[in-house]
Amino acid sequence: MAGPRVVIIGAGVVGAALADEISARGWTEVTVVDQGPLPATGGSSSHAPGLVFQANPSKTMTELARYTVEKLCSLDVDGQPCFLQVGGLEVATTPERVAELHRRHGWLTSWGIDSRILTADECVERHPLVNRDRVLAGLHIPTDGLAKAVLAVEAQIRRATERGVTFLARHEVLDIRQADGEVTGVVTDHGDLEADIVVCCAGIWGPRIARMVGMNLPLTPLAHQLAWTGPVPELAGQTEEAVRPILRHQDADLYYRDRYDTLGIGYYGHRPMPVTADEILSFDEAEPMPSVLKFTEDDFADAWTETRSLLPATRAAEIDEGINGLFSFTTDGLPLLGESPDVKGFWVAEAVWVTHSAGVGRAVAEWLVDGHCSSFDLHECDVNRFEPHQLAPEYVLARDCRNFAEVYDILHPLQPSGDPRPIRTSPFHTRQQELGAFFLEANGWERPQWYEANAGLVEGRSIVTPNDWAARYWSPIVAAEAQVTRETVAMYDMTALKRLEVSGRGAADFLERLCTGKVAKSVGSVTYTLLLDHDGGIRSDVTVARLAPDLFQIGVNGNLDLDWFTRHLPADGTVQARDITAGTCCIGLWGPLARDVLQPLTDADFSATGLKYFRAKHAYIGSVPVTAMRLSYVGELGWELYTTADLGQKLWDTLWQAARPLGGIAAGRGAFNSLRLEKGYRSFGTDMTYEHDPYEAGVAFAVRPDKEDFTGKAALERRSTAVHRRLTCLTIDDPRSVVMGKEPVYDGPNPVGYVTSAAYGYTVGKGIAYAWLPAELSEPGKVVHIGYFDERIEAVVAEEPLFDPKMTRLRG
C-alpha cells in the first residue's frame, strides 16, 4: 500500500474515475464509499443518457471531454464496450443557428477536434430520420458518441480494485471528522474511516457533504426531462443499440439518441425544476432511484410536438416512459474542483457530467499526487474562484436556474449573466448613470462599457461599424472614447480589479518567495511580476506596490490569487493577506493631458521626475487622500488613483471638474480593451493561463532568473527558452472583420492555433488579434487566416507593441 489515506465519497463516474487514476499513479491506500449499491449507485451517473459532445467554448472543458472519450473507448466490461463512438450531429433550423454551428466548428478546430459543417442533405444521410425540410445545416463531430456510464463505473472499479483500492457500497456518510483545521476521517453508518484526504465526488449530494466541513458549495440539482419512445416502425429490426449519431436540435432545446428500435429524447426547454440536496431521497426510499423524479408530462408537451416535426418517423410512436432526472448545475456552468480554503485535506470534484468525468478524474489525481495538474489548465474550474456574493444561496439558485435555461442558447461573449443585478456598484455608479453608462458585469461589479454622454464625440470621426456579431454590446462611442483618451484625457473606473493587502514583518520575504520579480525594493516601488505554479506555468500576473516597509498592495486577477497567497502564508503569523477591494476604489486617469488635470489639484509633485513610471506615493487630490501609482494599461501618461470607498465620489467629482475644461471624458471598458491591445498588454485567463510559461507568453521580462529562489523557478529552468509556440500579435486590414476570441488560425489549409483577445485598434486603424501560434509562424510579415464563422479573414503577424513602442508617452 502506498500514499496517504484517501477516502473518496461517491462511486459514480467521477469517483470511480478518480479511484482508477489515482491508484494508477501509485496511491493505493484509497477507500471509496457510496450510499447506494455498485455499480449503479442511484446518482446522476445511473440514469445519465450518456451523450458526449466535445464542442465547448472552454478549451479546458473540451480537453477534459476528449480525454474522457479516449479513455472510455479503451474500456469494456466482459466484452461490452463502455463507449459507442457513433459521432455527434448538431442541426440548425434557423439562419442564426447555422452561424452558431460555424462558430462551434471554430471552437473545435481551435481545440484540435475534427469536425465538419454539413449541408442539409448530408445531415439526412447521416441521420435518415431527420426531416429534410426542417434542416438548414449541421455540425458533425466523428469522435462524439454515447458513454455507457454504469459500465464505465464498473470497468474503472475493477481496475482500481486490482491495484488495492477498497470500494464500500451501502455506506452512508454521516460526518467528516476534523482536528486543527485538517480532515482526519469519515464517519459512516458502518463505522469510521481514517483519512488524510477526503474527496467529495457526491454529485447532487455534494452540497450536503461539503456542509459537513462548513464549505458552501455553489451547486444546485435541477431536474432535466428524458423520455423514451416505444418502438419506432422505421427502426424495426435494429439489432445494435446505436447506429446513428447522437443528435442535438438546440433551437428547440432537444437532443436524441438511439436505443435499438426506440429513441431517447432529452429536453431543456421546460421550466427550471431545482431541488436541494437535503430533499433528495435515500436509495431505499426512492423509486426507482434517488436521482430520478416523477415525469411531468405537461412540461414535455412542446418537446413531443417538435420531435414529431423534426423526426416524422416518431409520429407512428408514443412516449413509453420518462423521467425528470437530476443533474448538477453551477453558476457559471463549470465544474467545482479543488481543496477547501478552510479545511486542509478536504477536496471536491463536483458538478461534473459524464462528458468530462474521466478527464476530471485524471486532473484531480494529478493535482493530488503531484501538487499541480499538468494535463489540463484548471483555473476556470477551481472551486475557490468565487467571490463571496457568488456563494449566496439566492445568487446560486438564480444563476444555476439561468444556466439550465440557457444550456443550448446562442450566447454572445459579452452577454450579461442576468439577474440578480446589480450586486456590486463602485462609488462612482451614480455619476456613471448620470452620464448614461451602458453597464456590463465583471465579477458582480457593474462596469461601464461606454457612456451615452459621449455620443456627440462620434461626429466628424471616421468610425466603421463592425460586423453584426461584433457590433452586439458595441457602440461607435467606444471608438470615440478610445481616440479621445489618446488626444486629451479620460477617467476609467478600475474598481472591479481585485486588490489585496499583504502586511507584516515577514511580508517582503513572503512575496519574494512567490513572485518571479524583485519586489522587496524601496518604499514606493511598483513591480509587474508573475506567480508561477510548481511546474513553471503562469498562475497569474500581478502588480506589487510597496507602500511601507511591511505593507504591500497587490493588484491581482481574482479570488484564486487570494487563495494562492493565503495557502502559502507562513504558519508563524508574520504575514497577513486580505482582500481590500470592497473598501477601496480606483480611477485610472490617463491621456496626454493627465498631468494638466492632476497637478493643479495637489501640492505633491507629479512631474516626470517627481513620480517616475512604476512608482507609487500617497498624496491629497483636493481633499481626498489617495495612493497614486504611475501605471497605465492603455499606454498613456497617467496614474491609478486609489482611495477609500467613502471618498470615491468626491475623488470622481474633483477629477471630473478639472478634466472637463481640458476636453476630458469618462471612458468605458470597450475603449480600454482596444487601447490595451494596441499596447500589447496581456490579460491573464484569456491570453495566458496555467498551461503557458513566461517565455511563450512574451512576459519573460517579469522573471528575474538571478533571484535565489521563487515558486516554480526550478521547473521554469527545466523548460527550454527556445519556445515552440508563442503568443503572437496579428493585424487585420478589413475594418468590419472584428473577431471576438477563440477562433482558429490557419496557415494555408491547416489549423495552427487560436485567437485569445481581439478588438479594433482605433488609433492604429486596424483590427487586432492576439493568437497562440507555432513559433516558426510568429515572424512579422507572415500571412495567416482566421476562421470567423464561415469566413477566412486574412491577418498579418506584426511587431508589438503596435502603439508607442519606445514608451515615450508612458514615461513623459
Side-chain angles (χ1 to χ4, degrees):
M1 307 290 278
R5 297 167 299 179
V6 179
V7 174
I8 299 172
I9 301 172
V13 285
V14 181
L18 175 56
D20 180 36
E21 295 283 343
I22 202 170
S23 60
R25 285 163 177 77
W27 282 17
T28 55
E29 198 166 345
V30 178
T31 302
V32 184
V33 297
D34 200 292
Q35 64 182 342
L38 300 175
T41 63
S44 300
S45 305
S46 300
H47 74 259
L51 284 76
V52 175
F53 283 92
Q54 297 165 87
N56 196 291
S58 164
K59 182 174 184 283
T60 297
M61 295 298 280
T62 294
E63 290 176 342
L64 291 169
R66 172 166 48 199
Y67 180 78
T68 300
V69 168
E70 292 170 355
K71 181 176 183 180
L72 297 191
C73 280
S74 71
L75 298 179
D76 70 89
V77 175
D78 301 329
Q80 299 179 76
C82 293
F83 194 81
L84 306 177
Q85 201 160 41
V86 293
L89 176 63
E90 303 181 16
V91 294
T93 59
T94 64
E96 294 77 14
R97 185 64 64 175
V98 173
E100 174 69 357
L101 293 188
H102 281 283
R103 188 165 72 117
R104 296 171 68 80
H105 171 63
W107 296 339
L108 288 160
T109 304
S110 292
W111 315 146
I113 303 291
D114 180 45
S115 66
R116 192 165 76 87
I117 297 292
L118 304 183
T119 66
D121 287 336
E122 289 173 322
C123 291
V124 176
E125 287 176 15
R126 281 176 170 75
H127 203 300
L129 299 188
V130 169
N131 183 350
R132 170 63 179 81
D133 295 336
R134 291 291 316 281
V135 176
L136 301 178
L139 173 63
H140 183 239
I141 307 99
T143 52
D144 284 350
L146 290 166
K148 306 288 289 181
V150 174
L151 282 178
V153 169
E154 185 172 357
Q156 292 174 102
I157 286 176
R158 289 185 181 185
R159 285 160 47 124
T161 300
E162 289 174 357
R163 302 187 192 105
V165 174
T166 300
F167 286 82
L168 301 176
R170 295 288 195 166
H171 278 58
E172 182 182 358
V173 173
L174 304 177
D175 200 6
I176 311 293
R177 287 199 284 105
Q178 309 168 52
D180 300 323
E182 299 184 21
V183 297
T184 60
V186 174
V187 180
T188 80
D189 59 350
H190 287 70
D192 294 2
L193 300 168
E194 301 297 319
D196 304 302
I197 293 172
V198 174
V199 188
C200 177
C201 303
I204 53 178
W205 290 278
R208 191 172 78 191
I209 299 296
R211 200 164 59 235
M212 294 175 183
V213 296
M215 189 176 185
N216 188 356
L217 207 61
L219 179 160
T220 303
L222 281 112
H224 154 61
Q225 290 199 303
L226 175 66
W228 294 95
T229 69
V232 177
E234 288 195 28
L235 303 182
Q238 181 173 318
T239 56
E240 295 182 54
E241 179 178 349
V243 296
R244 294 164 192 79
I246 51 177
L247 178 68
R248 286 208 283 192
H249 175 27
Q250 293 169 296
D251 285 321
D253 297 303
L254 285 161
Y255 64 76
Y256 306 93
R257 58 149 297 179
D258 289 17
R259 189 178 68 180
Y260 300 104
D261 63 348
T262 68
L263 286 177
I265 307 169
Y267 186 44
Y268 287 104
H270 54 79
R271 61 191 169 90
M273 304 177 196
V275 302
T276 68
D278 294 327
E279 293 175 307
I280 303 170
L281 299 176
S282 68
F283 190 90
D284 291 328
E285 295 173 316
E287 180 59 44
M289 66 181 74
S291 62
V292 169
L293 306 181
K294 183 179 179 181
F295 187 61
T296 49
E297 294 183 11
D298 290 347
D299 291 304
F300 196 74
D302 290 343
W304 185 227
T305 299
E306 180 62 22
T307 295
R308 287 178 290 179
S309 174
L310 182 73
L311 307 175
T314 60
R315 297 171 188 169
E318 298 294 336
I319 297 298
D320 188 53
E321 58 179 314
I323 63 170
N324 287 2
L326 294 176
F327 289 96
S328 299
F329 282 79
T330 61
T331 54
D332 56 9
L334 294 165
L336 307 173
L337 311 178
E339 188 179 21
S340 161
D342 302 313
V343 180
K344 186 178 180 181
F346 184 81
W347 290 66
V348 298
E350 287 289 340
V352 181
W353 293 4
V354 174
T355 301
H356 310 101
S357 58
V360 165
R362 176 174 182 172
V364 176
E366 289 180 352
W367 200 348
L368 286 166
V369 175
D370 302 330
H372 60 87
C373 177
S374 57
S375 296
F376 309 98
D377 162 35
L378 295 181
H379 84 275
E380 294 177 313
C381 306
D382 194 311
V383 70
N384 297 296
R385 65 188 181 268
F386 300 103
E387 296 292 322
H389 74 274
Q390 294 172 321
L391 301 176
E394 177 186 12
Y395 179 95
V396 171
L397 180 61
R399 289 293 172 91
D400 289 358
C401 288
R402 183 180 179 93
N403 279 332
F404 174 88
E406 292 180 343
V407 71
Y408 278 174
D409 286 2
I410 299 171
L411 300 176
H412 191 274
L414 296 179
Q415 186 166 321
S417 299
D419 291 335
R421 279 185 71 191
I423 295 177
R424 309 174 84 181
T425 56
S426 80
F428 322 130
H429 188 251
T430 298
R431 296 294 185 256
Q432 293 165 344
Q433 287 179 309
E434 293 168 355
L435 294 172
F438 178 83
F439 292 101
L440 294 178
E441 183 188 1
N443 288 327
W445 291 98
E446 295 296 313
R447 187 165 65 182
Q449 192 74 357
W450 68 81
Y451 294 88
E452 289 296 331
N454 294 327
L457 299 174
V458 174
E459 187 175 350
R461 298 178 184 272
S462 178
I463 299 172
V464 178
T465 301
N467 57 78
D468 291 345
W469 183 251
R472 296 187 190 183
Y473 307 103
W474 176 89
S475 166
I477 298 171
V478 168
E481 290 178 357
Q483 291 173 352
V484 170
T485 302
R486 297 267 190 242
E487 296 162 0
T488 58
V489 63
M491 294 164 52
Y492 288 83
D493 182 358
M494 304 299 289
T495 303
L497 300 183
K498 198 173 188 72
R499 294 169 292 285
L500 309 181
E501 180 183 275
V502 175
S503 61
R505 59 185 173 85
D509 291 339
F510 168 72
L511 290 171
E512 282 291 311
R513 290 194 299 272
L514 289 182
C515 296
T516 61
K518 179 72 173 175
V519 297
K521 298 185 290 191
S522 62
V523 172
S525 65
V526 182
T527 307
Y528 174 83
T529 184
L530 306 175
L531 306 177
L532 300 186
D533 213 332
H534 299 285
D535 65 349
I538 300 171
R539 281 197 66 93
S540 190
D541 63 335
V542 301
T543 54
V544 179
R546 192 172 199 176
L547 304 182
D550 295 338
L551 178 64
F552 295 80
Q553 181 173 310
I554 321 292
V556 301
N557 287 293
N559 212 53
L560 290 181
D561 293 335
L562 174 60
D563 182 67
W564 184 253
F565 282 123
T566 301
R567 290 183 189 278
H568 288 82
L569 289 173
D572 61 9
T574 57
V575 185
Q576 297 79 46
R578 67 186 185 99
D579 183 358
I580 61 171
T581 311
T584 57
C585 57
C586 179
I587 295 175
L589 181 71
W590 294 316
L593 301 185
R595 186 173 287 119
D596 298 316
V597 172
L598 195 64
Q599 189 62 76
L601 300 174
T602 181
D603 293 334
D605 185 0
F606 278 88
S607 67
T609 55
L611 186 61
K612 295 180 180 180
Y613 188 53
F614 265 79
R615 297 289 296 179
K617 69 179 175 183
H618 298 299
Y620 285 94
I621 306 301
S623 58
V624 180
V626 302
T627 299
M629 298 187 193
R630 181 88 186 273
L631 308 177
S632 172
Y633 285 96
V634 300
E636 292 290 340
L637 168 69
W639 300 267
E640 292 180 357
L641 302 171
Y642 297 89
T643 192
T644 52
D646 59 320
L647 293 170
Q649 186 166 299
K650 181 63 176 176
L651 176 62
W652 179 281
D653 291 344
T654 301
L655 294 172
W656 182 252
Q657 290 166 12
R660 289 303 291 157
L662 299 177
I665 62 169
R669 189 69 179 182
F672 176 94
N673 198 48
S674 170
L675 296 170
R676 81 154 178 98
L677 286 177
E678 288 184 331
K679 195 59 184 166
Y681 292 139
R682 276 69 166 140
S683 174
F684 178 81
T686 303
D687 299 316
M688 54 189 184
T689 68
Y690 293 3
E691 68 174 298
H692 305 115
D693 70 37
Y695 308 116
E696 300 169 328
V699 289
F701 65 87
V703 179
R704 286 281 298 271
D706 58 332
K707 282 184 63 172
E708 182 175 343
D709 197 17
F710 54 81
T711 300
K713 181 184 180 184
L716 189 62
E717 289 174 343
R718 291 192 293 269
R719 295 192 181 212
S720 172
T721 56
V723 302
H724 300 290
R725 59 179 175 178
R726 182 171 283 120
L727 186 61
T728 305
C729 180
L730 305 176
T731 59
I732 304 166
D733 286 336
D734 183 353
R736 284 185 51 81
S737 298
V738 178
V739 301
M740 301 293 292
K742 303 186 178 182
E743 298 88 357
V745 180
Y746 294 86
D747 179 29
N750 302 314
V752 290
Y754 59 91
V755 173
T756 58
S757 294
Y760 192 78
Y762 298 105
T763 310
V764 301
K766 293 178 181 289
I768 306 169
Y770 273 78
W772 281 101
L773 294 180
E776 64 270 18
L777 299 180
S778 63
E779 293 297 320
K782 171 66 180 177
V783 176
V784 294
H785 289 82
I786 299 173
Y788 189 62
F789 292 92
D790 58 346
E791 301 178 55
R792 295 284 178 93
I793 297 170
E794 184 176 288
V796 180
V797 174
E799 292 272 11
E800 59 170 333
L802 299 171
F803 178 79
D804 190 26
K806 295 184 179 180
M807 306 280 281
T808 56
R809 294 172 75 107
L810 276 170
R811 298 180 184 276

